Amino acid sequence: MPPRKPSSPRPPAAPAHKKPVVVSAEAKEGLGWLHTAKFLTSSSKIHQLPQGDMPEIAFVGRSNAGKSSAINTLAQQRQLAFASKTPGRTQLINLFTLGLREAPQAFLADLPGYGYAAVARGKKLVWQKVMADYLEVRRALFGVVLMVDSRHGFTPLDIQLMDFIAQRVKTGEVKLLVLLTKADKLTRSESKAATDAASAVLADYATETSDIGITLFSSLRRIGVEDVAEQLLAWKKAMPERVHFEIPPMPEGEGVDESGDEVSDDESDEEG
Ligand code: GDP
């Protein structure tokens, strides 16, 4: 008897942009807002970022957790985050405007990925410094979107990052949304287990004033995209009106590597 062709548990994914999507009005509005994202500037030096009180949403996560894909998917722009993922830019903070570039409503910050097994200790220390400085200096930080690979759960560096922001999360000053990424790789029961495990970790940070969300997410299969769009729209609506900010001119030599670092993109586990 010929061997049976193994049945595919999931059909091959259609490109996300070709899928018909039914979305709520809120999700639609949120996606429309996120679609306005435009690259503003990038720097490895926190003090060179535009100063002011523009509310900021920071995307953070371990390298390879799916952060660039998530930003591109949410903004419905193929190259938004990948454009800044060229070699040498790993330690850069990339800033995007939301709303009109000249009169934005918020900044979206794409923070350096962390935690490659291969990354040297020195680079980890650099990351920790960048992160600590960022959270210290960017007082208008409104929310953090943390990408956690749904198959791995929180890593020690994720917890370290959580601890950097714990105080401001507990008071509700900084809102937190955890995306359990690549959820397309999990079965239903694995998804539940991943959500339960992550919720247990987040319980340590939850208070009466905190605003912490968690959602299964997949850029590939568009899982959770509308939920995240709704959530980020709710953040937008809760944001204070910015009073003072400076928009720098488009930097000259955009794309220049300031840090001299190399991207170690050696952990490709992709995916489909
Ligand atoms: P980053 O380093 O956190 O910015 O991660 P990337 O967005 O570059 O993604 C890292 C790897 O994970 C790439 O090989 C992506 O193709 C893959 N990936 C990202 N999002 C998904 C997803 O939703 N599902 C699956 N299966 N793979 C994904």
Side-chain angles (χ1 to χ4, degrees):
M1 198 167 79
R4 272 180 55 205
K5 213 176 143 209
S7 62
S8 162
R10 298 173 208 117
H17 63 281
K18 287 198 181 142
K19 277 192 154 185
V21 224
V22 182
V23 291
S24 71
E26 296 279 288
K28 223 172 181 173
E29 189 181 341
L31 286 170
W33 185 53
L34 294 167
H35 189 54
T36 64
K38 283 183 202 67
F39 177 77
L40 179 65
T41 186
S42 75
S43 179
S44 58
K45 299 181 184 67
I46 314 289
H47 294 280
Q48 288 177 353
L49 294 175
Q51 309 289 315
D53 56 6
M54 182 70 68
E56 190 158 305
I57 299 174
F59 278 65
V60 298
R62 180 181 170 276
S63 301
N64 212 46
K67 176 160 60 70
S68 307
S69 304
I71 292 173
N72 290 338
T73 299
L74 289 166
Q76 300 176 82
Q77 300 184 41
R78 279 163 178 250
Q79 291 296 330
L80 191 66
F82 287 128
S84 56
K85 217 185 172 189
T86 46
R89 306 196 89 191
T90 45
Q91 295 301 335
L92 296 186
I93 292 170
N94 299 300
L95 216 56
F96 305 88
T97 51
L98 289 168
L100 295 174
R101 186 178 183 277
E102 302 310 322
Q105 295 145 337
F107 289 149
L108 190 162
D110 178 10
L111 269 55
Y114 50 85
Y116 260 104
V119 165
R121 186 176 147 72
K123 282 196 182 172
K124 265 186 194 156
L125 293 177
V126 170
W127 170 77
Q128 285 168 0
K129 173 106 180 66
V130 168
M131 220 58 201
D133 285 356
Y134 173 86
L135 296 165
E136 178 61 31
V137 172
R138 304 301 279 173
R139 300 312 297 183
L141 182 63
F142 187 85
V144 169
V145 182
L146 171 60
M147 259 58 48
V148 172
D149 191 316
S150 60
R151 297 162 302 168
H152 306 313
F154 284 87
T155 64
L157 281 175
D158 293 321
I159 298 293
Q160 195 175 333
L161 180 127
M162 294 281 299
D163 290 339
F164 281 143
I165 55 173
Q167 267 326 100
R168 288 158 81 188
V169 166
K170 286 179 181 174
T171 61
E173 182 193 340
V174 170
K175 299 171 193 305
L176 176 68
L177 179 59
V178 175
L179 308 192
L180 298 174
T181 58
K182 310 188 191 182
D184 54 277
K185 288 172 164 275
L186 301 186
T187 62
R188 195 171 288 214
S189 63
E190 286 167 342
S191 296
K192 183 176 182 315
T195 309
D196 289 349
S199 301
V201 172
L202 292 173
D204 283 348
Y205 302 87
T207 66
E208 288 207 342
T209 45
S210 64
D211 182 344
I212 301 177
I214 181 168
T215 182
L216 290 161
F217 189 85
S218 163
S219 295
L220 194 67
R221 303 293 304 256
R222 291 192 65 91
I223 297 166
V225 172
E226 282 75 37
D227 291 345
V228 175
E230 281 181 13
Q231 184 61 64
L232 295 185
L233 180 73
W235 285 9
K236 176 195 175 217
K237 289 181 173 171
M239 280 172 180
E241 286 270 318
R242 46 118 190 119
V243 179
H244 163 76
F245 71 99
E246 274 171 36
I247 294 292
M250 193 63 94
E252 265 183 53
E254 199 254 294
V256 170
D257 168 18
E258 286 185 38
S259 66
D261 283 335
E262 288 287 330
V263 168
S264 52
D265 231 347
D266 54 347
E267 202 188 324
S268 72
D269 71 339
E270 215 355 11
E271 314 252 332

